[in-house]
Amino acid sequence: MRTGAEYKESLRDGRNVWVVGEGAVADVTTHPATSAMVNEYVAWYDRHFDSQWQDTLLTPPDSNRQQVPLAFTPPGTSDDLRRLGKAISAVHFATGGNMTHTPGYGALIALGMVNVLKRLDHSSEDIEAAEGYLASLHNTGRFLTFAGGGPLIGARMRQDENERVALRLVSETADGIVISGKVQMHTSTPFAEDLLITSRNELPPGSGRYLWFIVPVNAPGLRVVSRRIAARHRNPFLSPLSSRFDELDSMVWLDDVFIPRSRVFTGEPINRNTRHSLVAWLLWHHSYGWLAKAELSLGLGLALAEVMGLKENPATIEQLVEMTVNVQTTRTCMAAAELDPETTAGGHALPNQLHVASAGINTLRVRQRMGEILRGLPGSSLVNAPADTDFEDPQMAAELEDAFGGGGYTAMQRSALLQLAWDQVSSGLDGREAVFEMHASGGLEAWRRRLAAWFERYTELANGVHQFIQVDLPPLDLGSLQEVAPPPRRNPQVNPEGRSS
């Protein structure tokens, strides 16, 4: 396992990154738009060398007393899942759920690819290459992220329907392929080293092949175009979360990029309703991230109830109990997913997807309500809390102490907690998360469709009512409820003059 310093050094490798509003970023390790997030990834690697973290992040000692990172160790049993889930949960909680993609997340992407290729019964060469890449992540700790290969709006506006695609296969030889195109939003590419891109369309058209390929982020001809940074105050006291965690969702532009044959695979169209799809482990990882955000909100609510003198207030107690139930419901679903796992075609333990969907639905369903409670619980002090710099003036400090201090807590202490609550539920970072959930994970409706497709007891439960009535019924068949169609794509209508209509 490499250190954080070694990871940081790998980012100085000639990558081509453009951040909207900032322009070209020559070095992501030092630029203000990216350096804070680089430091969070450095901390992710370095925790594996921290004695306080090793029992959580490393496997139990083997016969040679050797331990390896759980994040890069594919789970084979329920116990493995529980141990890995505990590690993922701990890391997410340390970041308040604000670091969606970690190098460990990348290992789950590669594991999902291996299992899809085995489920599709593809060639041994493809499977061996995918397994070799997964093993290389274990050996190097390299950081992989994932893009679903969807086209940008410009491509979707083209008059020729056949041209409304993200990627174009320029050429193909025994050595590899050359790809051009522009791929829509995904996360953390400025900080990753490799990118798995899956195609939504056949490459080439009519071939029946859906090519997946892994490309280095610093490959010649590849440019990363990232969204603007989340709006935040330059003072970290006023932006304790958004000054640290801004993953920068990105587009990727490819101009005649060569992909070697060993990194090219024949996959399938991404359908997130497919039970053992590429993203199966990723949905589990997502849910742990959302759980961590909910737990931070609950923790803030509890702390504010004490610091604001509200812990005896009946209305506040009711709100805290509501938040606790919401958090515990999701955590119970996650525990069930690991204790009742599925086995993939590759022989790996996969968190039970029905339980994972239940966790995701619960968290998304209560997200807005949790935010509303946290915005309201501390009262208007949430809006007016001062900054640490306001205390530098002695007269102002005395007045602020009179306005915000008392009851065993200083004005500075109360302000720090209130600013954290503001950043959690009223900031640009919070808005980014809500939008990302909708577009990248599909939002609540997508998770409901998954659960509907994966629930297998419709017919069993319907026929179970027979024993309670005195009239015979013919066998009931509710299996069609599992046949959940994906939502239709929203393709712009382009008139013959080339304008949208």
Side-chain angles (χ1 to χ4, degrees), residues 384-449:
N384 294 318
D388 56 342
T389 52
D390 296 321
F391 291 84
E392 294 173 0
D393 179 276
Q395 182 176 351
M396 190 65 177
E399 296 288 359
L400 287 172
E401 195 61 42
D402 179 63
F404 285 88
Y409 298 93
T410 67
M412 181 76 82
Q413 290 169 334
R414 277 205 178 89
S415 297
L417 195 59
L418 289 165
Q419 296 296 353
L420 177 58
W422 177 274
D423 214 17
Q424 171 76 350
V425 293
S426 300
S427 67
L429 187 70
D430 177 57
R432 172 265 173 196
E433 172 66 20
V435 174
F436 183 80
E437 287 171 3
M438 180 183 299
H439 291 293
S441 190
L444 182 57
E445 288 306 309
W447 283 78
R448 288 169 60 90
R449 285 194 298 271

Side-chain angles (χ1 to χ4, degrees), residues 100-101 105 146-153 156 183-187 200 227-228 249-251 270 272 279 283 286 290 364 367 430-447 449-450 487-490:
T100 311
H101 289 44
Y105 182 93
F146 159 61
L152 292 161
I153 183 63
R156 300 200 301 272
V183 178
Q184 68 180 13
M185 185 193 76
H186 48 286
T187 292
R200 289 189 181 180
R227 63 164 171 81
R228 64 190 181 280
D249 314 304
S250 304
M251 305 171 283
I270 296 295
R272 294 170 190 252
V279 301
L283 299 177
H286 285 182
W290 297 338
L364 291 172
R367 183 185 191 278
D430 177 57
R432 172 265 173 196
E433 172 66 20
V435 174
F436 183 80
E437 287 171 3
M438 180 183 299
H439 291 293
S441 190
L444 182 57
E445 288 306 309
W447 283 78
R449 285 194 298 271
R450 289 171 195 142
R489 291 245 177 96
R490 297 187 307 161

Side-chain angles (χ1 to χ4, degrees), residues 17-23 25 28 31-38 41 98-101 143 145-146 184-192 224-232 242 244-252 429 432-433 436:
V17 176
W18 183 281
V19 178
V20 170
E22 303 288 327
V25 175
V28 297
H31 194 281
T34 52
S35 59
M37 200 68 212
V38 170
Y41 286 117
N98 286 294
M99 200 159 79
T100 311
H101 289 44
F143 186 178
T145 191
F146 159 61
Q184 68 180 13
M185 185 193 76
H186 48 286
T187 292
S188 294
T189 308
F191 316 105
V224 179
V225 182
S226 297
R227 63 164 171 81
R228 64 190 181 280
I229 62 175
R232 59 179 179 260
S242 53
R244 291 177 56 191
F245 306 108
D246 198 0
E247 288 179 298
L248 292 185
D249 314 304
S250 304
M251 305 171 283
V252 163
L429 187 70
R432 172 265 173 196
E433 172 66 20
F436 183 80

